[in-house]
Structures are given as C-alpha cells and as structure tokens.
C-alpha cells in the first residue's frame, strides 16, 4: 500500500455463491436458518450441486466493508488470503476494481480459494455455508507493519478467530496497530462465532479493541444476559466506542459517556447479506472523514439500507452519491 489506507480491513477472502431457496431446502440439507456454518469441501460441493441458479460474487465480511468504504469515496485496504487459482483471481480483480488496495500474496499450495454458499429464504434471511479453504493459510507473514502503521483504523472480523494460524495473524496485526497508534476495530461477526470464542472476545474487547461492532444477538450472547439493555450496561464498563445494530430498530453508537441512537433508513428488504458489513463501512468512513457519532451512524444505516434492497453483499449504486442526496455530505 504505497500511499497507505485510512482503514485496513482484515478477514476471510471468500467468493460468495448466492441463491434464493425455500425453507424446505434448508431442512433437506440440515441447515440452521440465519447461521454462518463452517463446512468441509464435500458438504460445500453437495450444497452447490443442489442449489438453483446462483450469483457468484467476491465477498467475505471484511472485504465487503472495505468495498463499502471505497464506494463512499474513502480509502481502504485489505488483508486476506486467496489461492493462486481462478476464484482467487476473480476475488483479487473484484476487490481492486472496487477501489480497495489488496496486496496479500496468494497461496501457491494447499486448499483452494474459499467459498460461501449463501442461501436466501423468502423472509430475506441468509444462511451461510462457508468452506474456508485458503483463508486458513493466512499467517503472521501476511501482516505487514507498514500497512498497519499507515492506517488510522485496523478493522478485523471475528470469523478470523477460527484457527490458530489465523488467530496469530490477528493478534500480530492488533499488536502492531497498538504499537503504531492505529485504532483497533473488531466486529463480532456472528452470535454462533461469539458462542465459540466468548471468553477470548471479551478479553479482546477489554484489552485491545478501540471500536467494537456487533448486532443485538451478538452483544447479548457476549455477555450472556437476557436483554440488549443489560448487555449495553455491561459493555459500558469496557467500551471505548461501540456501534450496535438492531435491524429495523436502527443502531446505537456509544462511548463510556455518550450514547447516540440512529434510526434505520427505510428499505424494501430482499437479502440481509452484508447489512452489518456495510453498516460498519459507513461508520468507519464517517469516523475517518472527521464526522461525529450521529453522522457516522447515519452513513452506516444508509449503506445497510442500500445493500439489503438487492441480492448480494456489495453496493450496486454510489454510496457517495446517496450520502450527498440524503445527508447533504
């Protein structure tokens, strides 16, 4: 990243394969609606073979966020591992074409580029079946200090916590960020992810994270309480800045001494894939552009509303233009 990027996003580099299915399809393949489930190569192939016509697009949670920041006109970089294969080439082309700096070296051996079979039911819920493939090959060697040091914010997806080498790469990136005065941001990614790594995520939030992203289910799971309000009280003891989404209820941005509630922008919901990713993109773009919590939250809500209005997890229109039209920015 010759000139550096204001936000460096780190995550699983995945090609999304998205199709509309009914609930019977989920039952047939024993899928839990709304979850992100890790699958092996055989399960991935079986679901793929049975899927109706699908749309194939570069995705991955942090990749979507990076693309969203760039779509706003912001500066974003990406760290993630693909294989030197056809899908890896597609991913690299797509994310660079979106305006994101991506220089992580592709793997020449091992597993192929990761895929996620995203099954969208009529209620707009998405059930993700992810084969991590080459993502698990990411290592500390892929984390370059100069890239981290040049950024204002390092943004990491919780999904990267699934294997020891991935975890080591994340910790190296976070430690380099702290060393160089770069803020550390984490998204909890998925309530099932929180269930797997609750204690470790709590430790990260208390000791390394400056900006936390989570939805209502994730933050309630993190603190094992009965309500969103109880989770917020727990989080206030530790948080520097948190952005918490609540679907149609909007979002809450909070520090230890300030809370700002932001309404959701109206949208015809087609596919909720990427809603949290694009919300994070708007907030991070806002923060790195000098905006306060309220405007940053509105940018997040605006981006989320756009992405849920169509199939797929990347914006289809200019978020920069929408921000001018809706918010006068």
């Amino acid at each position: 990243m010759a000139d550096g990027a204001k936000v460096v996003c780190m995550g699983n580099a995945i090609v999304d394969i998205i199709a509309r299915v009914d609930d019977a399809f989920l039952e047939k393949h024993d899928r839990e609606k709304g979850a992100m489930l890790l699958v092996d190569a055989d399960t991935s192939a079986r679901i793929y073979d049975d899927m109706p016509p699908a749309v194939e697009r570069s995705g991955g949670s942090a990749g979507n966020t990076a693309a969203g920041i760039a779509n706003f006109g912001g500066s974003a970089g990406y760290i993630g591992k693909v294989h030197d294969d056809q899908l890896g080439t597609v991913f690299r082309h797509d994310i660079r074409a979106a305006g994101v700096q991506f220089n992580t070296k592709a793997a020449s051996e091992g597993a192929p580029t990761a895929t996620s079979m995203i099954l969208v039911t009529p209620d707009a819920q998405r059930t993700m079946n992810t084969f991590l493939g080459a993502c698990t090959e990411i290592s500390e060697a892929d984390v370059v200090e100069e890239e981290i040091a040049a950024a204002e914010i390092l943004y990491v997806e919780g999904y990267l916590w699934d294997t020891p080498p991935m975890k080591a790469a994340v910790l190296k990136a976070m430690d380099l960020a702290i060393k160089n005065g770069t803020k550390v941001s984490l998204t909890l990614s998925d309530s099932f992810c929180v269930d797997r790594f609750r204690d470790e995520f709590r430790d990260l939030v208390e000791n390394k994270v400056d900006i936390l992203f989570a939805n209502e289910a994730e933050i309630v799971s993190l603190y094992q309480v009965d309500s969103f309000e109880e989770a917020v009280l727990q989080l206030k003891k530790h948080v520097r800045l948190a952005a918490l989404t609540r679907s149609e209820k909007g979002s809450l941005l909070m520090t230890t001494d300030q809370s700002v509630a932001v309404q959701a922008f109206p949208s015809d919901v087609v596919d909720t894939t990427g809603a949290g990713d694009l919300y994070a993109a708007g907030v991070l773009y806002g923060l790195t552009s000098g905006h306060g919590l309220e405007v940053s939250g509105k940018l997040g809500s605006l981006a989320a509303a756009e992405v849920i209005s169509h199939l797929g997890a990347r914006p289809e229109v200019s978020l920069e233009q929408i921000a001018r039209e809706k918010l006068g920015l």
Side-chain angles (χ1 to χ4, degrees), residues 85-281:
D85 54 17
Q86 183 176 355
L87 286 179
T89 300
V90 168
F91 184 95
R92 187 177 299 277
H93 173 270
D94 282 0
I95 199 163
R96 285 180 169 174
V100 177
Q101 300 176 43
F102 177 40
N103 298 313
T104 310
K105 185 178 179 181
S108 57
E109 299 178 350
T113 296
T115 56
S116 183
M117 311 296 165
I118 301 178
L119 310 174
V120 182
T121 41
D123 57 3
Q125 287 293 308
R126 84 284 185 275
T127 302
M128 297 184 289
N129 307 272
T130 303
F131 170 57
L132 287 176
C135 292
T136 61
E137 306 294 330
I138 197 169
S139 70
E140 295 179 66
D142 295 307
V143 179
V144 179
E145 183 168 4
E146 290 76 13
E147 297 181 2
I148 305 296
E152 293 181 24
I153 298 173
L154 167 71
Y155 174 81
V156 180
E157 65 180 64
Y159 290 135
L160 274 180
W161 212 250
D162 272 305
T163 70
M166 297 160 77
K167 188 182 301 185
V170 169
L171 288 173
K172 178 183 177 182
M174 288 183 170
D175 288 342
L176 286 174
I178 293 168
K179 171 187 172 185
N180 287 282
T182 300
K183 291 182 179 178
V184 174
S185 181
L186 172 71
T187 173
L188 296 183
S189 294
D190 186 287
S191 58
F192 297 90
C193 192
V194 175
D195 288 341
R196 294 196 297 274
F197 307 114
R198 181 175 292 105
D199 290 342
E200 292 167 280
F201 281 178
R202 282 190 188 179
D203 182 67
L204 290 176
V205 170
E206 292 178 21
N207 297 301
K208 294 184 183 292
V209 173
D210 297 295
I211 306 169
L212 179 69
F213 288 90
N215 65 25
E216 187 166 357
E218 292 157 7
I219 203 65
V220 167
S221 175
L222 183 69
Y223 290 107
Q224 293 181 291
V225 292
D226 295 325
S227 70
F228 177 76
E229 290 73 21
E230 290 176 275
V232 167
L233 289 175
Q234 292 292 323
L235 184 59
K236 272 203 169 188
K237 300 174 184 177
H238 310 293
V239 74
R240 296 169 183 83
L241 170 60
L244 309 175
T245 57
R246 309 187 70 192
S247 300
E248 70 278 357
K249 297 176 185 176
S251 62
L252 179 71
L253 290 88
M254 55 178 280
T255 64
T256 52
D257 56 7
Q258 181 185 12
S259 294
V260 176
V262 176
Q263 291 185 338
F265 276 83
S267 178
D268 293 326
V269 182
V270 174
D271 172 16
T272 57
T273 307
D277 305 335
L278 269 294
Y279 176 84

